Amino acid sequence: MRPEYLRVRGVDLADQQVDWLAGGVRRSIASERSVGTAAELFLARGFDRVGMDDVATAVGCSRATLYRHFRGKAALIDAVLARSAIAVADRVAAAVSRYDGSRRIVEATLASITAVRSDPALARWFADRTGGSNEVFASSTELGRIATMLTGITPDDEAAQWIVRCCHCCAGRCPMPRASGAWWSGS
């Protein structure tokens, strides 16, 4: 156990120290490296065909080290998807900044679907899933909060979940209009 003076608000200060040799906070660098490597493996093999052993080997660390950063495969998948979701939210926010009202809702929904389809990790996630296995994703309160923010609607959990479900439903299955007016299925 580390001495109490090395802990502030429950955070181990040793985990937050900048390592001049690593070029930053070692824990953050290790987590990012693990997430990046896991994303590459998930894209190459699919989410269901990659285990924690595979990621640890590819990262060059032990399973114990990987589990120190991520409680399990689900947490690692969450980290990969969260990184992609942040990028999608940034793209959508930029795309809809000039709109308001109902036009913003429509544009945010279309931009979200397009961004999800073009993000390799999210596209693979939806391609690997069928039926109701995305229920957790579709009913995420965090995604509902993001949908509320991006569309500019008054906070309304039901409306936000409806928007998330529409995007989720269309992310890999429904055709999307191209700028030319032609329809495409994302492939």
Side-chain angles (χ1 to χ4, degrees):
M1 180 90 182
R2 293 188 187 270
E4 193 56 36
Y5 66 86
L6 288 177
R7 298 183 63 75
V8 175
R9 293 190 187 118
V11 175
D12 192 333
L13 294 179
D15 288 342
Q16 302 302 315
Q17 292 177 345
V18 174
D19 182 329
W20 65 271
L21 191 56
V25 176
R26 186 176 287 252
R27 184 168 182 80
S28 298
I29 293 169
S31 292
E32 272 303 307
R33 184 171 166 199
S34 298
V35 170
T37 301
E40 290 172 11
L41 291 172
F42 292 148
L43 290 175
R45 299 185 205 164
F47 285 87
D48 297 331
R49 293 186 182 97
V50 175
M52 294 294 275
D53 285 334
D54 300 319
V55 177
T57 300
V59 170
C61 69
S62 68
R63 278 182 30 162
T65 299
L66 189 59
Y67 276 102
R68 195 173 310 132
H69 295 279
F70 304 95
R71 293 185 187 265
K73 183 177 173 182
L76 189 55
I77 289 172
D78 287 347
V80 169
L81 295 178
R83 186 170 75 170
S84 291
I86 290 167
V88 165
D90 290 345
R91 287 177 57 194
V92 173
V96 301
S97 63
R98 65 178 180 250
Y99 301 111
D100 58 357
S102 59
R103 176 74 188 258
R104 183 178 176 108
I105 295 169
V106 171
E107 294 296 333
T109 303
L110 292 174
S112 295
I113 295 165
T114 302
V116 166
R117 285 181 171 181
S118 66
D119 181 275
L122 292 174
R124 181 63 189 241
W125 174 259
F126 285 112
D128 286 355
R129 303 287 169 282
T130 58
S133 63
N134 278 316
E135 182 59 31
V136 172
F137 202 43
S139 62
S140 165
T141 56
E142 182 64 16
L143 290 178
R145 188 188 64 72
I146 292 169
T148 299
M149 179 195 65
L150 292 174
T151 59
I153 63 173
T154 304
D156 177 343
D157 289 343
E158 285 185 30
Q161 286 307 311
W162 183 84
I163 292 168
V164 169
R165 287 179 184 279
C166 286
C167 292
H168 169 258
C169 207
C170 294
R173 295 169 185 80
C174 301
M176 288 288 298
R178 288 187 187 257
S180 66
W183 287 84
W184 64 290
S185 64
S187 39

